[in-house]
Structure formats: C-alpha cells, structure tokens
Amino acid sequence: MIESKLAESLQNAVNTLYNQEVSPDIFQIQKTRPEFEGDLTVVVFPLLHLSHKAPEPTANELGQWLTEQLNEVKAYNVIKGFLNLEITDAYWISFFKTAAGEKNFGFKPQQDEPPVVIEYSSPNTNKPLHLGHVRNNLLGWSVAEILKASGKRVVKVNLVNDRGIHICKSMIAWQKWANGKTPKNTGQKGDKLVGNFYVLFDKAYKKEIARLMEQGMDEKEAAQKAPLILKAKEMLVKWEAGDEEVRQMWKEMNSWVYAGFDATYKRMGIDFDKIYYESETYLLGKALVNEGLEKGIFYRKQDGSVWCDLTDEGLDEKLLLRADGTSVYMTQDLGTAQLRYNDYHPQKLMYVVGNEQNYHFDVLQRILKKLGKSWADGIYHLSYGMVELPNGKMKSREGTVVDADDMMEEMAATARKTSKELGKFDDFTPEESFKLFEMIGLGALKYFILKVDPKKTMLFNPEESIDFNGNTGSFIQYTHARIRSVIRKAVTTGISPETEDIAGLSLEKKEKTLLKLLYDFPQVVSAAAESYSPAQIANYCYELAKEYNQLYHDLSILKEGNTSKRALRLMLSGFTSQVLCSAMGLLGIQLPERM
RNA sequence: GGUCCAGUAGCUCAGUUGGAUAGAGCAGCAGCCUUCUAAGCUGCGGGUCGUGGGUUCGAAUCCCGCCUGGAUCACCA
C-alpha cells in the first residue's frame, strides 16, 4: 500500500527535518480531489506544530523530501495547506498487474478466531413476509457476506417464532372457517393461507369487541373478554400442556408456512446455517432467572413476579417472569443468547432487528452483564430503520403492507416489460430470458434497499415503483454486460491482451481514475465490515460502474491503434468486471453476461 | 414527560478518523445512436446542510440549547 509507505517516509522526514519523533498514523493522507493535480494529498495543517513554520513552506519541504526519497512519487504541488502528490504511472500499473491476477482481490483470508453469530429474519409463522422483512433479510445476509469477505467466520442463524398467541389466532380461525382448506387443495402458498386466517381472526375479533362495547363494556375489558380471544388463550394453554390434537394442527399449519417461507427465501437468495425454533427454546431463560434470584440480582414481588431493577442505570424495572411463572419475551431472549453462546462461543452475537427494539436489546445486554456473563459485551444489535410507505408505516392488520412475494414478482415483471420495450432479448431462449428478468428484477430490488444506510428509515413509493435507470442495480448490471460484450468482441477479433507489455505505458486520466477506484476496493470492504453497512459497497459499485461507462464512451477500446494501450484497457475492463462481480456478490446481486 | 434515532436540492439518497468551491440519481430543459449494447453519455438550472450558539487554522461532520419528525418506555412478541 502506497499510503503506508508515504506515512513511513513522512515520519522520517519529520524526524530529520524537524527533529521530532512521531507515529506514522498521525499523517492524514487522502485522495486528491479531481479538480486538483495529483493522486494523494497530505494535509499539513496538523503538522505545523512540528515544523513551526507556515503551511506552505512546510508542505514544500515535505513534498521535496517525498519526491527525493520515494521513486513512486513523481511530483508534488502545494495549494494552501494541502500537499498534493503525483504518483507514478509505473506504480499504478504494477499494482494493477499483481492485483488483477488475484482471484480474491479485496477479500481477506479467513482468520482463525471465534465466529460471529448473526441472527436475522426471525419471522412469525402467522403471516407472510413483507417489505420490512425483505430489508431485514437482505441486510442480514449481506452483512454476513461482508464479514466473511473481511476474514471473519460467520454463522447465520434464524430464530423462528413458531409459537404463541398469534399462532393460536390463525389456528382458531382456520378451525372455524377453513372447511379443510390446505395449500395442497387450494394451490395457495402456505404462508399466505395461514396469514389470511390470521386476518380473518382479527376482523371477527374486532367485531366482537365492538359488539361488547355497544353493550356497555369499556374497550380494554372487551378486548380481554371477547369469545374469540378467550378461545385463542385456551388453545395456547392446551398447546403448552402438550395437547395432542392442538399440537398436531399446529405442526401441520406451521409446515405449510415453512414451505411458503422457504420459497420466498429461495427466490430472494438468502439462507441460514442454523435455524432455532422458539417452541424449543422458549423455556430456556428460566434457569438464568433463577441464577439471578440466587445471586440477589433479581427480586420477586409479592404477587410472585420476578423483576430486574435497572433504575440505577437510568432505565426502568424489567419484568422477567409473570406472576404465574410463565416467561416473557425478555426471558426467552436471555435463554437463546445463552444457548447461542454455548453452541458457538462467538466473538460477537449480532441481532439484525428493527430499531423499534433498541430498548429491548439494550436491556438484554445489561441484564446479562449483571448476571456476570462477560460474553455479553459481544452482543450487538444491528438496528435498522423501518420501510415506510408514502402514507406512513406498514401495518399487517390494516392491509397496508407490501408483500415480499408480490414485490419480487412485480420487479421481475417490470424487468420483462422494460426489456421488451427496449427490444432486447430477441435472440434469447425462454429459459435464458426468464433467468435474466429474475436477475434484473431482484437486482433492482436488492440494490434499492441495500444502497441506503441501514440506520435510516427509508421510503418506498409503490406508485413510482423501483427505477431501472440511474443509480440502480440494473445500471450496474448493464455496465457489466457491456464490459463482457467488449471482451467477447476482442476475443472474436483475435485480440489477446495477455501478450502485450503494458509496463511502460503512461495512463490517461480516465484510465487512472478507474484504476485508483479499483485500488480502493479492499479498503471499501474492510470499512463496510467495520460499520456493518452494505450501503458503502453499493455506492462504491455505482461509482465504479459510472466511471467505467464514462471511459467506455470517451475511449473506443477496440478501435485503439496502439496495441499495448488497447491491451491495458481490455485488461482494465476485465478487472473492473471482476471487482464488480465480487462487490455486487456481497449484496447478493448477480451480474449478467448480456442484457 | 424520560430515553434513543433522524433532519443535506422539488423528490429519493451519498458525503470515510473534522479538510480544499457540499455530490449522485429522479423529475425539468438542451444536445448525442451509419462508431465496442442509448437500461448509456454530455451540458444547464436547482442548497442559509432544520435552527441558534460554542470548540479551531478549518464544521454537514464534534459539544450545548431549541424546533420538527419517528421509535420506545406492556404480566405483547
């Protein structure tokens, strides 16, 4: 890396010229802005207290030194307090020659250390996945891939919420109104079918509440005494007691939902290494609660409920066990965290969960720390913002959701329509074009979601749908198809860049800009891994594709008369294609050979 | 009310540990297909970076106040 070499040389310069000992990481070395001459810029303001001179003389002295000491530095210029360094083309080309040969350029080899366990998706089995889940799934999967690329071992886990009152609601509704409908005899996707009964339950339940309120009951009481909810509660009790009949129906309906989820996950291209089911883990936390009681960290109220007092940390008291001894959400998560720790001894326990649960995970970590679990330091809540619609939040019960399957289907259909309008794919087989529409549609969807900072709430406007022009996945896919096309043509016209000697070439501005962008890739990957942000990768891909497109338009690669120059551009094309594939692969987006 | 997060062009979003004249895309306008793929390229217009202070050589970025929006503070998950 040229940056570290510069820093080292600057360290010597400061030592010799100003007689001061400094660490090489105090130097601010950044990319030179395009409007100035040079490649890298040293900011000299912070060094003035070492030189005891004005900015410009300091910069000049250091520039002089670097030019003399390092043969990679060709020239320098000083503007105000900025020392702009011009790096030789020979350096960039030699970097290029070695990097382009590395198959995994930008990726670090896997380190021998404990894994990162990352939980994402975590669906409820009473309703289908919607756009909010899509953000969760894509984010979790992509962050896992980025961590792998930065050398981590990663275990992707899913915690399926397969039990509880919400599931019983679907079951009651199905019992009452389904007349034996199954995915098999209706052809409906299992998660959709079960989800519909959940909605039916909710509608009927609301009616009951309204009726009871007409009879003079207040809303709270009505919500608790409506016959339907009593039935659901009764069913939950039966479920917990292991009632054969209830368990059988539960098993069957869940299996329909899983089949539906699997189809959605598969189309989305995400997967897991391990699936935990809440029905198998929901009793786990109680041991920890007892541990806390024994240690005197938790306390029991008169009614028998167990609490953890976090008021000294600026939070509230948190319930851990109900008066009847049953566990709550927090109890279960304490248990599953311990289970996961036992299973993997991870260096980090990540949870990809929406920001509405920030408080929950804050409390979870604090309680585990109170219990003396030192591994709780490794808990990290990767909190992401909601996907909002123009008229506000998505709400499953009110039907204002964008369904994940519908969304993917619509994207593929739009890709088809757009392609037809542009008159492409005329020579494609049906299978080929089907694969492409899927690739383009899903690419657009994934890019649209992943390019925005996970922390931020994002807006999705169904009216406008997702664009295929501009800063989009399809633009990058298109650029890639274009690169491949150039390379194919070179091969058919008998041009073979490998035989040409490119070492002594001088670089044109466009070529150098592209090369420098490619040079940045490893740093982009590690930065994205540190901040858990696929958005950085996405924006990098766009920049790279855009730069290539400009080069493509300005310079006719295949028409270039100078054969070694043409070889350089072809090789640059190949390298760009490779880096784009690697980078977009981290987002789960495939790039086509043609489109 | 307490806590946390966000506020950048008409709209959707970038903006690395504080650095040079704040960037893209969409939308609008004007050009470019007998030339390697026009899902593209070029140009134009568009900003008190919510607001007021502070820190310093230098602030969209860090600190404090205020305004606006969101989340959360359940014997729901």
Side-chain angles (χ1 to χ4, degrees), chain A residues 323-421:
Chain A
D324 62 7
T326 57
S327 49
V328 292
Y329 182 40
M330 182 58 72
T331 329
Q332 295 171 29
D333 260 4
L334 289 170
T336 51
Q338 179 72 57
L339 177 65
R340 238 168 266 177
Y341 175 74
N342 295 344
D343 284 354
Y344 299 105
H345 286 77
Q347 55 169 299
K348 208 157 206 110
L349 259 172
M350 287 182 68
Y351 294 86
V352 181
V353 180
N355 60 14
E356 56 204 352
Q357 292 193 37
N358 286 354
Y359 181 74
H360 173 77
F361 283 99
D362 191 15
V363 171
L364 176 71
Q365 186 171 38
R366 285 170 195 270
I367 292 179
L368 283 167
K369 277 193 189 170
K370 268 187 185 281
L371 282 168
K373 312 286 179 187
S374 58
W375 49 265
D377 286 323
I379 286 179
Y380 181 82
H381 175 205
L382 178 48
S383 156
Y384 62 90
M386 302 289 101
V387 181
E388 285 185 356
L389 301 173
N391 44 352
K393 251 189 103 167
M394 283 192 274
K395 293 193 174 119
S396 326
R397 289 181 197 172
E398 292 168 26
T400 56
V401 288
V402 177
D403 179 81
D405 295 319
D406 294 351
M407 186 75 218
M408 290 192 281
E409 188 54 39
E410 200 178 309
M411 290 307 297
T414 314
R416 171 185 295 271
K417 196 172 143 238
T418 309
S419 305
K420 290 258 160 71
E421 280 167 8

Side-chain angles (χ1 to χ4, degrees), chain A residues 262-286:
Chain A
D262 284 347
T264 306
Y265 287 147
K266 193 176 173 203
R267 189 169 190 185
M268 210 177 287
I270 68 158
D271 57 3
F272 305 95
D273 299 312
K274 163 93 180 172
I275 296 178
Y276 290 95
Y277 295 94
E278 210 183 279
S279 54
E280 291 165 2
T281 62
Y282 81 108
L283 295 173
L284 283 179
K286 291 189 184 179

Side-chain angles (χ1 to χ4, degrees), chain A residues 490-509:
Chain A
V491 171
T492 56
T493 45
I495 299 168
S496 50
E498 291 75 16
T499 57
E500 293 292 335
D501 181 25
I502 60 165
L505 286 175
S506 63
L507 293 167
E508 280 171 45
K509 188 155 185 167

Side-chain angles (χ1 to χ4, degrees), chain A residues 16 26 86 112 124 204 240 353 375 429 485 529:
Chain A
T16 323
I26 66 155
E86 211 174 313
D112 188 24
N124 290 353
E240 297 212 353
V353 180
W375 49 265
T429 66
S485 170

Side-chain angles (χ1 to χ4, degrees), chain A residues 520-593:
Chain A
D520 288 339
F521 182 51
Q523 289 172 63
V524 173
V525 172
S526 55
E530 268 174 47
S531 57
Y532 309 117
S533 172
Q536 291 188 19
I537 302 280
N539 288 305
Y540 170 78
C541 289
Y542 177 65
E543 215 180 318
L544 187 56
K546 199 176 165 160
E547 198 55 49
Y548 184 85
N549 255 308
Q550 288 171 4
L551 179 140
Y552 175 93
H553 277 273
D554 286 5
L555 313 168
S556 295
I557 297 170
L558 297 172
K559 300 265 160 60
E560 173 60 47
N562 180 336
T563 53
S564 50
K565 191 104 218 189
R566 189 174 61 203
L568 173 83
R569 289 183 193 158
L570 275 170
M571 288 163 73
L572 260 178
S573 300
F575 192 35
T576 305
S577 153
Q578 181 197 327
V579 169
L580 276 179
C581 281
S582 302
M584 293 293 273
L586 297 175
L587 309 176
I589 301 173
Q590 294 175 294
L591 299 178
E593 288 291 310

Side-chain angles (χ1 to χ4, degrees), chain A residues 83-257:
Chain A
L83 168 59
N84 299 323
L85 301 169
E86 211 174 313
I87 307 300
T88 60
D89 290 349
Y91 173 79
W92 295 118
I93 289 177
S94 80
F95 148 75
F96 175 44
K97 282 171 79 176
T98 53
E102 293 171 32
K103 202 155 181 292
N104 292 315
F105 172 69
F107 290 10
K108 285 201 195 108
Q110 195 181 86
Q111 308 293 306
D112 188 24
E113 51 183 30
V116 174
V117 171
I118 176 168
E119 174 192 309
Y120 58 97
S121 200
S122 321
N124 290 353
T125 57
N126 62 326
K127 49 188 181 239
L129 305 176
H130 61 65
L131 197 50
H133 297 113
V134 175
R135 189 176 196 188
N136 181 308
N137 293 340
L138 296 178
L139 184 60
W141 189 88
S142 179
V143 168
E145 291 303 308
I146 291 167
L147 288 174
K148 280 188 207 166
S150 76
K152 306 277 189 211
R153 276 176 61 210
V154 177
V155 184
K156 298 181 275 190
V157 306
N158 189 0
L159 174 63
V160 179
N161 185 356
D162 60 346
R163 47 137 254 131
I165 190 78
H166 46 289
I167 316 292
C168 295
K169 290 179 182 176
S170 292
M171 285 160 67
I172 294 279
W174 186 83
Q175 236 176 5
K176 277 179 99 82
W177 301 303
N179 294 320
K181 276 188 193 145
T182 66
K184 222 175 186 173
N185 64 30
T186 59
Q188 202 176 14
K189 207 159 157 283
D191 52 334
K192 295 285 182 335
L193 186 136
V194 172
N196 287 344
F197 284 104
Y198 181 74
V199 173
L200 278 183
F201 178 95
D202 205 62
K203 277 188 187 159
Y205 176 39
K206 278 201 175 124
K207 267 188 199 160
E208 286 187 352
I209 292 173
R211 212 178 51 227
L212 289 173
M213 282 167 71
E214 271 171 34
Q215 294 167 11
M217 216 178 260
D218 71 66
E219 190 174 354
K220 231 180 185 172
E221 198 186 353
Q224 281 171 2
K225 292 198 171 161
L228 273 171
I229 197 73
L230 292 178
K231 275 205 151 183
K233 280 184 180 165
E234 188 191 321
M235 184 174 266
L236 183 61
V237 171
K238 277 188 180 171
W239 183 92
E240 297 212 353
D243 180 282
E244 286 268 336
E245 203 180 322
V246 172
R247 286 281 179 139
Q248 188 52 42
M249 178 170 40
W250 170 78
K251 249 188 191 158
E252 192 177 3
M253 285 182 72
N254 268 342
S255 75
W256 301 342
V257 175

